[in-house]
Amino acid sequence: MASPTSILSLLLLLLLLLLVTAAVSAAAAIRIYPREHVVRAEGDPRCESWKFAVEVNAAGSWKTVPRPCIEFVREYFNGHRYLSDSRAVANYSLTFANSVKVGKDHGRDAWVFDVDETLLSNLPYYRANGFGSKPFNDTSFNEWVNTGSAPPLPMSLRLYKKLKSLGFKIFLLTGRGESQRVVTQQNLLQAGYSGWEKLILRGPYDEGKKATVYKSEKRAELVKQGYIIQGNSGDQWSDLMGFALAKRSFKLPNSMYYIP
């Protein structure tokens, strides 16, 4: 029978072997996944902070994605994070929509949607044009719009259809010009959207107005017509701010461009 001293020595030896094995494993892990690799996989903290500032409207007016963050933005929109963040916004929107007693105001419950980067996604255009690394180009963007080939943002399409089934009156309020009405309508229908009450585009008297002013004025017209704007969805703060505000506004992610 082994003495207590021998048993204690054996336990200490086993403990030492376990510690050495753990240290070797950790060293191997460090070699396989160096610290800089882990940071890249999680995202550059500087660019995460920049994107956060953009989304909460703390970054102010900006014209291009900062050069160190171009790859970060590319990976964000090409990966799963963009769809995941869009899904989260859609889910919160639907939670609120389900809380509204639609119909008690004689069918005047309205929901306003922006179009670009809200219902339709222009990622094919931005993939070919640097993901916001260059200043916005009206000419090339309008050429893209006129192809009428923008796909739907999947989570917004799901939300849109659910809002229709709940009985909301849906209004589409876009910064696109009146000359693009036909191609915009066709693109929306092709993408799966239908049954909206009105598609509102910039007319001759809206030219030169900042988006916040233009969209506020159009919302005010809806309010004067007796509609109650319960929800408003857009990818820019200028889609959501100003006056004649919705009871709840929901911002979708967009760190590719800024519209005042």
Side-chain angles (χ1 to χ4, degrees):
M1 182 175 179
S3 67
T5 303
S6 299
I7 294 173
L8 180 59
S9 298
L10 180 61
L11 290 174
L12 290 173
L13 179 60
L14 289 173
L15 178 60
L16 180 61
L17 288 173
L18 287 172
L19 291 173
V20 170
T21 301
V24 171
S25 299
I30 291 172
R31 286 196 299 272
I32 297 171
Y33 302 107
R35 181 173 180 79
E36 59 268 21
H37 177 85
V38 174
V39 170
R40 284 200 300 271
E42 295 177 351
D44 187 328
R46 296 168 302 170
C47 296
E48 289 280 7
S49 297
W50 171 78
K51 179 180 178 298
F52 172 79
V54 166
E55 299 299 356
V56 299
N57 204 28
S61 180
W62 53 278
K63 294 185 181 299
T64 60
V65 173
R67 186 172 296 277
C69 297
I70 293 171
E71 186 61 30
F72 170 88
V73 171
R74 178 183 289 107
E75 290 182 2
Y76 172 78
F77 282 100
N78 280 332
H80 298 292
R81 281 281 306 282
Y82 177 49
L83 287 179
S84 178
D85 289 349
S86 299
R87 181 184 295 108
V89 176
N91 288 341
Y92 284 123
S93 303
L94 187 54
T95 298
F96 167 71
N98 283 326
S99 74
V100 177
K101 295 180 179 178
V102 180
K104 71 172 185 176
D105 294 303
H106 309 289
R108 292 294 184 177
D109 296 296
W111 199 288
V112 176
F113 279 99
D114 173 52
V115 172
D116 293 301
E117 271 59 69
T118 300
L119 295 182
L120 298 178
S121 171
N122 297 301
L123 275 181
Y125 168 81
Y126 285 104
R127 283 193 181 106
N129 288 272
F131 286 92
S133 61
K134 307 172 186 175
F136 184 78
N137 186 298
D138 281 320
T139 301
S140 64
F141 182 73
N142 286 329
E143 288 173 354
W144 155 255
V145 167
N146 289 334
T147 67
S149 56
L153 189 58
M155 305 310 157
S156 293
L157 180 58
R158 180 171 65 89
L159 172 64
Y160 181 98
K161 291 181 175 180
K162 184 60 178 179
L163 292 176
K164 275 182 58 182
S165 71
L166 290 173
F168 285 92
K169 304 294 183 183
I170 297 179
F171 293 87
L172 312 185
L173 177 52
T174 175
R176 294 184 180 191
E178 188 63 43
S179 63
Q180 294 175 321
R181 175 175 294 276
V182 173
V183 70
T184 300
Q185 287 176 333
Q186 292 174 342
N187 196 164
L188 287 164
L189 290 170
Q190 180 182 338
Y193 299 100
S194 63
W196 57 80
E197 291 294 308
K198 189 175 182 180
L199 171 60
I200 305 168
L201 301 97
R202 281 184 185 263
Y205 296 105
D206 301 314
E207 295 301 323
K209 292 179 181 176
K210 287 190 174 182
T212 305
V213 175
Y214 157 67
K215 295 202 168 185
S216 293
E217 291 176 350
K218 297 306 179 184
R219 289 195 302 268
E221 291 176 11
L222 296 179
V223 172
K224 287 180 182 178
Q225 293 168 23
Y227 290 101
I228 299 170
I229 304 177
Q230 298 285 359
N232 185 10
S233 299
D235 66 290
Q236 300 287 321
W237 282 101
S238 54
D239 298 328
L240 311 173
M241 298 175 68
F243 51 91
L245 300 178
K247 289 191 177 180
R248 283 288 306 275
S249 295
F250 299 90
K251 186 185 182 302
L252 283 85
N254 187 354
S255 52
M256 289 185 296
Y257 59 84
Y258 172 85
I259 298 177

